[in-house]
Amino acid sequence: MTDHIIYMDNAATTATRPEVLEAMLPYFTQHYGNPSSIHSVGRDARRAVEKARQQVAAALGAQPREIYFTAGGSESDNWAIRCASRALAAKGKHIITSQIEHHAVLHTCQYMEKQGYEVTYLPVDENGLVSVEDVKKAIRPDTVLISIMAANNEIGTIEPIREIGKVAHEAGVLFHTDAVQAVGAVPIDVNDWNVDMLSLSGHKFHAPKGIGALYIRKGVKISNLIFGGAQERGLRAGTENLPGIVGLGAAIELAVSELPEYTRRLTALRDRLIDGILKNIPDVRLNGHRTQRLPGNVNVSVRYVEGEALLMRLDLAGVEASSGSACTSGSLDPSHVLLAIGLPHEIAHGSLRLSLGNDTTEADVDYVIEKLPGIVRDLREMSALSAENSFQP
Amino acid sequence: MYSEKVMEHFEHPRNVGEIPDASGTGTVGNAKCGDIMKMDIKVENDVITDVKFKTFGCCAAIATSSMATEMVKGKSIDEALQLTNKAVAEALDGLPPVKMHCSLLAEQAIHAAVEDYQKKHPKE
């Protein structure tokens, strides 16, 4: 192991920012009240919750009353899909989504199928883009919900959400987007995007883990997620995660205020890394759209080597990354996203995701560009596969 | 998740390569599943005098290949045929449950190489 760790797994999670932690700390020991209490300690806590709600709403172009705090992205996705489609069961039982959604969406949709719903899983093109035309064609009289992610967590492709939202609204169908990877990385406006529900997760943009939110447009019918007290307009009961909510508000405000600079800086670093890898290593392909992609996302497939071996070797060199190989998912199949963009299994197994973040420097990028070719060469030398020998015994 | 021994073999694998005039070769696995192991053995007087491997696969696949080559080198072909995946995994201080199939591939690759040798050199 090296002493210096280069963290390039920001799509998995990010470090809580010092400013965010600082904003949170008083709410553990000083202002620890229950926001539902009517005494002054409780009122302090309530004010903090409502301030954070405003901060989140402002970041999305929403009204504060349309923001509901949850424990994270998966909870928000589950709530949106299960409870909104259930509330509309009288209209119909058809849901439209894509093949490259996060499992929080896909597995919820599979659960809905067991509940008697029909789900259309739209394919994507070789860049991971959902076709707006496909969405339009898939809409039926009994369609109650469309759920398409704003940006893909593995390959970074940014979907045409505004156009999909327009199609959904014209057809009068509810539109949900999993924006977990998009918040803090691309500008968001729920009205411009025509979205009715939007999931977000704090730890992807330097808030702590265990806090997220679901935007629910005023007027959207949705059933309760958790029964109990009157928290979150009675829809999601349970005493609020006060420090987490404060952290979420602080982090999203910072992320949005820094977005232009973040986008400019990370896009340059991302392109430097992509170009450096493609130039210095033969038989490597970039996965995802070349330009319509998240500023911090690099995803490549390295032929003739397996992804887990690649990322463990990188780990030994001090670089933290992730892979869509089967060996990291605990199943025999590689990532459903890589298969959906048309990669053969053996190429999907050799995928590597490097996700840059606020702390990534040009020196970090150059270190990876310098180290990766040697690691690949080494693994290829011991691989049973090669350009001359890609046999299937 | 991996033992130190697995990591050590992954970082410094033994017996990587090919034997140009191998007495027997075994290839097992499938690129679709993400693991392919190829073992070459050199046999003299029914003893494995050299063994080399090439593996496309994860950490555990590389480490089990490396360990299996060490375990059969210098052994008779009958002894090599008795190599089990359990023994390979134990020699590596264990493998995570989802990676046990890698040790099975290592066992199968060694057996396939020995069987290939036996087919090419039938006993009279």
Side-chain angles (χ1 to χ4, degrees):
Chain A
M1 284 297 281
T2 56
D3 293 336
H4 180 56
I5 295 285
I6 294 176
Y7 185 76
M8 289 205 182
D9 204 10
N10 287 281
T13 195
T14 60
T16 302
R17 282 174 74 147
E19 307 94 302
V20 171
L21 180 62
E22 204 183 313
M24 291 170 65
L25 284 176
Y27 293 91
F28 284 101
T29 51
Q30 239 178 307
H31 308 297
Y32 52 81
N34 187 325
S36 299
S37 300
I38 57 169
H39 46 61
S40 74
V41 179
R43 292 199 303 274
D44 280 350
R46 169 59 53 203
R47 264 192 293 279
V49 169
E50 297 316 318
K51 183 188 168 195
R53 206 184 301 281
Q54 275 171 19
Q55 287 169 314
V56 174
L60 305 177
Q63 297 299 316
R65 57 177 293 165
E66 297 172 316
I67 304 300
Y68 297 79
F69 293 115
T70 66
S74 292
E75 183 187 316
S76 297
D77 286 342
N78 270 259
W79 187 10
I81 294 166
R82 282 159 63 178
C83 301
S85 42
R86 201 176 299 149
L88 289 168
K91 181 194 168 191
K93 291 191 166 186
H94 178 234
I95 297 168
I96 298 168
T97 187
S98 84
Q99 291 174 0
I100 63 162
E101 297 299 312
H102 189 275
H103 284 131
V105 168
L106 285 180
H107 290 172
T108 305
C109 285
Q110 284 160 16
Y111 167 79
M112 295 311 291
E113 287 184 280
K114 290 198 187 104
Q115 303 300 306
Y117 284 73
E118 215 181 308
V119 180
T120 300
Y121 299 92
L122 295 174
V124 293
D125 71 7
E126 70 276 13
N127 292 317
L129 283 172
V130 173
S131 146
V132 181
E133 202 49 39
D134 283 355
V135 176
K136 201 172 186 173
K137 281 188 205 144
I139 296 174
R140 315 189 311 208
D142 61 341
T143 305
V144 289
L145 178 69
I146 297 170
S147 179
I148 303 286
M149 69 199 328
N152 185 266
N153 50 313
E154 291 186 37
I155 58 174
T157 298
I158 298 171
E159 300 298 339
I161 291 303
R162 183 187 292 108
E163 291 73 19
I164 295 170
K166 195 160 170 268
V167 163
H169 269 207
E170 278 165 9
V173 178
L174 209 57
F175 180 41
H176 165 250
T177 188
D178 172 347
V180 166
Q181 295 289 334
V183 174
V186 297
I188 294 178
D189 186 309
V190 288
N191 295 315
D192 181 43
W193 279 16
N194 279 309
V195 302
D196 299 305
M197 293 182 288
L198 179 147
S199 303
L200 63 89
S201 182
H203 73 104
K204 305 292 189 184
F205 50 88
H206 304 283
K209 292 152 191 71
I211 186 69
L214 179 64
Y215 157 79
I216 306 174
R217 184 179 292 279
K218 186 171 172 275
V220 167
K221 277 197 192 122
I222 190 161
S223 54
N224 285 41
L225 179 68
I226 299 175
F227 296 98
Q231 293 90 354
E232 304 307 294
R233 307 175 74 83
L235 293 177
R236 200 270 190 190
T239 300
E240 294 88 344
N241 171 2
L242 178 60
I245 288 170
V246 169
L248 182 73
I252 204 165
E253 192 174 86
L254 273 169
V256 169
S257 71
E258 294 171 359
L259 192 55
E261 171 58 12
Y262 170 93
T263 307
R264 191 196 58 75
R265 204 179 75 84
L266 262 79
T267 304
L269 288 177
R270 175 196 75 189
D271 291 346
R272 185 183 181 91
L273 184 53
I274 291 172
D275 293 343
I277 291 174
L278 296 182
K279 196 171 130 238
N280 292 312
I281 308 174
D283 293 321
V284 172
R285 57 157 283 154
L286 177 72
N287 297 318
H289 199 282
R290 181 64 188 83
T291 53
Q292 203 171 317
R293 77 187 292 134
L294 292 170
N297 177 288
V298 175
N299 187 310
V300 290
S301 281
V302 183
R303 287 198 80 156
Y304 319 124
V305 302
E306 194 278 331
E308 191 219 48
L310 202 51
L311 78 90
M312 293 299 276
R313 280 288 170 109
L314 276 171
D315 186 22
L316 291 166
V319 180
E320 315 291 308
S322 78
S323 168
S325 84
C327 274
T328 53
S329 71
S331 77
L332 279 179
D333 284 323
S335 139
H336 64 287
V337 177
L338 298 176
L339 296 180
I341 61 170
L343 293 195
H345 276 68
E346 56 269 34
I347 296 177
H349 281 300
S351 79
L352 177 70
R353 181 185 71 185
L354 297 155
S355 43
L356 319 183
N358 273 331
D359 298 331
T360 309
T361 63
E362 195 169 280
D364 293 341
V365 166
D366 289 346
Y367 179 81
V368 173
I369 294 172
E370 184 202 317
K371 281 280 169 191
L372 192 56
I375 290 172
V376 170
R377 201 177 313 123
D378 203 30
L379 288 172
R380 280 181 176 166
E381 265 166 29
M382 70 172 95
S383 176
L385 294 179
S386 65
E388 302 79 46
N389 193 10
S390 31
F391 59 83
Q392 302 270 335
Chain B
M1 96 190 237
Y2 287 124
S3 70
E4 274 176 36
K5 211 137 187 198
V6 170
M7 287 308 290
E8 202 267 320
H9 273 263
F10 169 65
E11 218 181 330
H12 307 288
R14 284 44 145 190
N15 306 309
V16 174
E18 286 167 302
I19 302 175
D21 55 343
S23 318
T25 296
T27 304
V28 297
N30 184 326
K32 198 170 177 246
C33 303
D35 297 292
I36 295 185
M37 278 183 205
K38 176 173 170 284
M39 297 271 184
D40 285 349
I41 53 170
K42 184 85 187 158
V43 181
E44 283 166 40
N45 302 321
D46 277 358
V47 170
I48 297 175
T49 56
D50 197 12
V51 50
K52 298 270 190 213
F53 83 86
K54 280 208 158 191
T55 291
F56 162 77
C58 64
C59 220
I62 290 167
T64 53
S65 306
S66 167
M67 180 53 87
T69 59
E70 279 208 318
M71 290 171 83
V72 299
K73 202 168 181 174
K75 298 281 166 62
S76 72
I77 55 169
D78 289 336
E79 284 172 313
L81 283 173
Q82 281 161 29
L83 180 79
T84 64
N85 78 308
K86 209 162 155 263
V88 175
E90 272 168 19
L92 287 166
D93 294 337
L95 283 171
V98 293
K99 301 288 184 176
M100 283 305 285
H101 73 277
C102 296
S103 61
L104 195 62
L105 280 180
E107 172 198 310
Q108 289 167 347
I110 293 286
H111 291 184
V114 172
E115 281 154 18
D116 182 50
Y117 162 76
Q118 288 174 326
K119 214 186 308 164
K120 287 174 181 161
H121 303 83
K123 299 230 163 161
E124 51 289 335

